[in-house]
């Protein structure tokens, strides 16, 4: 038997505008920014994108972060998508975001022109990768 599940939670006691370090979830934004450049990805960029999203590879994220122009490129993409409280920092993992902005991002990814990003996210969620979305044995997550 298989099932699809979708969950969203709003806990007003915590606050949907409270910022936190995005850490690896910013990798979705990095790839969205690269895809927004309106050109086909090179073979190397596709390889890095797969490693970044499916395996949560930090070196791949850094390479693509540099390819989009770092913090300025990421902030420009966030502005285009309407993420009003998310701010990139000097290192991609230190980007500050809110729960509300992350919901805005996910709506854009799943409702917009990002089929390759959705494909990679499905691979990660299906457990084809070794990091990112699936808890690892003994990781405590």
């Amino acid at each position: 038997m298989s099932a699809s599940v979708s969950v969203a939670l709003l806990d007003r006691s915590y606050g949907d505008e409270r910022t936190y370090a995005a850490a690896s979830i910013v990798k979705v934004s990095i790839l969205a920014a690269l895809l927004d450049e309106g050109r086909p990805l090179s073979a190397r960029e596709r390889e890095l994108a797969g490693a970044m999203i499916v395996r949560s590879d930090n070196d791949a994220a850094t390479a693509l972060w540099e390819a989009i122009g770092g913090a300025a490129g990421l902030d420009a993409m966030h502005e285009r998508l309407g993420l009003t409280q998310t701010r990139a920092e000097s290192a991609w993992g230190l980007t500050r975001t809110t729960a509300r902005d992350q919901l805005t991002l996910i709506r854009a990814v799943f409702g917009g022109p990002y089929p390759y990003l959705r494909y990679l996210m499905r691979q990660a969620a299906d457990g084809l990768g070794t990091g990112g979305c699936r808890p690892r044995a003994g990781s405590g997550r």
Side-chain angles (χ1 to χ4, degrees):
M1 173 170 49
S2 74
S4 295
V5 176
S6 177
V7 176
L9 172 67
L10 173 61
D11 179 354
R12 293 203 180 272
S13 65
Y14 184 78
D16 61 355
E17 295 304 319
R18 187 173 177 176
T19 64
Y20 57 92
S24 282
I25 65 172
V26 77
K27 293 171 182 174
V28 172
S29 295
I30 292 169
L31 183 51
L34 186 64
L35 293 168
D36 273 355
E37 291 181 357
R39 60 172 178 80
L41 298 184
S42 69
R44 179 68 177 146
E45 288 169 334
R46 289 180 74 80
E47 177 186 337
L48 290 168
M52 177 177 72
I53 299 296
V54 178
R55 294 192 322 268
S56 195
D57 185 286
N58 291 338
D59 292 334
T62 299
L64 293 177
W65 160 265
E66 291 168 359
I68 65 167
L74 193 61
D75 279 338
M77 191 280 306
H78 287 146
E79 185 176 329
R80 284 192 304 276
L81 294 181
L83 280 68
T84 60
Q85 300 299 311
T86 300
R87 301 290 177 268
E89 297 291 336
S90 59
W92 57 263
L94 300 177
T95 297
R96 305 289 299 175
T97 192
T98 64
R100 180 176 297 203
D101 274 2
Q102 287 306 296
L103 286 174
T104 299
L105 174 63
I106 292 302
R107 282 187 199 107
V109 166
F110 283 91
Y114 302 102
Y116 181 61
L117 179 50
R118 291 189 298 270
Y119 166 76
L120 292 176
M121 290 174 73
R122 278 192 304 274
Q123 282 194 315
D126 288 345
L128 299 177
T130 58
C133 297
R134 286 273 209 210
R136 291 181 216 123
S139 70
R141 293 190 295 168

